[in-house]
Amino acid sequence: MLFSFLLAACTKDDGDRQPLPPINITIDPNSTLYQELNVTGGWLYLNEMDGAEPPSRGIIVYRLSADQFMAFERTPPFKPDSCCNTAKTICSSLVVDNYYPFVMDTCTMSKYLILDGSPVSGPSSMTLSMYVTEYFGDLLYIHD
């Protein structure tokens, strides 16, 4: 009982993690359609047109090596419904853009490492939500 109390006292409460939206996407990361993924260290966003349908806010795909990929949900794990302005028109979504090799939630200022989704700075202590990636031949399968 004492151990349980100590464990609970040492964890930072960022709220409950949202379940991953169901995803089942297949792409050819070596095609010209996904040119950003043609090289190790390349990344891109997949959106609704690619199969990342709501409630997903999209997916960040990162090519870790020649045959290994990471796929992160763009909905932040920490305060996923926070907004950056009082009109609530700019709400949280994870971005890479000029932050590479980091992923940033510009509303809460939480920063994560794109290599593994671990938190680097900001108020979040939660890792990014990841999808399963399987690379066979020329096709990358991304699913929950």
Side-chain angles (χ1 to χ4, degrees):
M1 186 167 160
L2 179 60
F3 177 72
S4 297
F5 176 75
L6 290 174
L7 183 63
C10 293
T11 59
K12 183 176 179 181
D13 182 22
D14 287 340
D16 293 329
R17 181 181 293 270
Q18 300 287 323
L20 278 173
I23 296 292
N24 191 6
I25 298 173
T26 303
I27 64 170
D28 177 357
N30 300 307
S31 77
T32 55
L33 292 174
Y34 304 101
Q35 188 170 358
E36 296 89 344
L37 292 176
N38 288 181
V39 295
T40 298
W43 63 271
L44 61 70
Y45 300 123
L46 296 180
N47 56 36
E48 193 170 349
M49 289 178 26
D50 301 302
E53 298 177 8
S56 173
R57 294 186 193 159
I59 299 171
I60 299 168
V61 180
Y62 175 69
R63 190 168 200 153
L64 190 60
S65 67
D67 60 354
Q68 190 175 13
F69 293 83
M70 306 295 285
F72 303 105
E73 171 60 41
R74 289 189 68 191
T75 303
F78 176 75
K79 297 188 178 180
D81 296 321
S82 62
C83 293
C84 300
N85 61 358
T86 54
K88 297 192 184 285
T89 56
I90 303 171
C91 296
S92 62
S93 183
L94 298 170
V95 295
V96 179
D97 300 330
N98 296 327
Y99 302 106
Y100 181 84
F102 302 103
V103 177
M104 184 75 149
D105 177 350
T106 55
C107 287
T108 66
M109 302 310 289
S110 295
K111 188 186 290 187
Y112 307 87
L113 187 60
I114 199 167
L115 298 173
D116 62 4
S118 61
V120 174
S121 65
S124 179
S125 64
M126 301 171 81
T127 59
L128 295 178
S129 298
M130 289 188 283
Y131 290 99
V132 175
T133 59
E134 298 176 280
Y135 186 53
F136 297 111
D138 292 335
L139 297 178
L140 174 64
Y141 302 94
I142 303 168
H143 56 91
D144 53 321

